[in-house]
Amino acid sequence: MAPKQPKGEYIETDTGNKVSRRSLISGTQNIILGGRTVIQADVIIRGDLSRTLPSNLTPSGSAPAASNHVAVAIGRYSFISTGSILRPPAKLHRGVYSYLPLKIGDNVFVGPRCIIEAASIGNNVWIGKGAVLGKMVIVKDGVRILEGAVVSAGMVVGVGSVVAGKPARVVGEVGVGWEGVDGRALWKNTTG
């Protein structure tokens, strides 16, 4: 009998996603990974925080329907660095606390120890180390959020902006020639 192969750092899915064995992913049925996405160690993804119907909106006499809503959707060739936290944004509407989906585009790099509670992050976005994206933030395509930036709740960051500061504000544009994140290279260099 051949000896068992040692387990690597990453579990690779059929679609090429690489997920660290040391990450904490809750509510996997509510999370969609687009393919060839890398999730490093100590990352927390809260898929269990998904929208549910309140009992007064279900047909009379029946139990509330099971939640089958997507809580977190991450696009192709995205990279979530060590210690980051991704959770869907929440809001109080008519006395009901509800979670909305967190959608992350393709070729997005999230630096170490970031906290993301945004509604939407576009394609080719780079988020620096320790950045915080508050509730309901919308980040458009080709944005660069610098290290330690704190993007206030509800802020909309325009296409091609550079954002920095506490609280964050637009400090410039990415400029001609910046193509964003090379997600393929990050994915190829992740072994395990």
Side-chain angles (χ1 to χ4, degrees), residues 102-187:
L102 164 60
K103 295 179 182 177
I104 298 176
D106 299 338
N107 293 309
V108 173
F109 175 82
V110 177
R113 295 182 302 284
C114 289
I115 300 173
I116 310 291
E117 202 170 353
S120 175
I121 298 174
N123 299 323
N124 298 312
V125 173
W126 187 87
I127 301 171
K129 175 182 173 184
V132 176
L133 276 65
K135 291 180 182 181
M136 304 305 291
V137 167
I138 297 174
V139 178
K140 303 285 185 170
D141 295 344
V143 171
R144 187 163 184 191
I145 299 173
L146 300 181
E147 183 175 312
V150 178
V151 182
S152 302
M155 183 175 177
V156 177
V157 181
V159 175
S161 298
V162 175
V163 177
K166 297 178 186 178
R169 61 185 181 86
V170 176
V171 295
E173 295 180 1
V174 291
V176 178
W178 189 74
E179 296 180 8
V181 180
D182 185 5
R184 288 179 192 239
L186 291 171
W187 180 81

Side-chain angles (χ1 to χ4, degrees), residues 50-126:
S50 65
R51 180 180 282 187
T52 57
L53 291 173
S55 58
N56 61 351
L57 294 180
T58 58
S60 60
S62 66
S67 175
N68 61 356
H69 298 283
V70 174
V72 179
I74 302 173
R76 292 179 57 80
Y77 292 110
S78 292
F79 192 93
I80 313 299
S81 297
T82 305
S84 293
I85 300 172
L86 293 140
R87 62 177 171 243
K91 70 176 190 173
L92 185 62
H93 180 70
R94 295 186 182 176
V96 177
Y97 196 71
S98 182
Y99 292 97
L100 301 170
L102 164 60
K103 295 179 182 177
I104 298 176
D106 299 338
N107 293 309
V108 173
F109 175 82
V110 177
R113 295 182 302 284
C114 289
I115 300 173
I116 310 291
E117 202 170 353
S120 175
I121 298 174
N123 299 323
N124 298 312
V125 173
W126 187 87

Side-chain angles (χ1 to χ4, degrees), residues 1-10 21 192:
M1 184 184 283
K4 270 189 166 177
Q5 291 287 341
K7 291 184 179 179
E9 167 70 21
Y10 293 93
R21 294 179 187 278

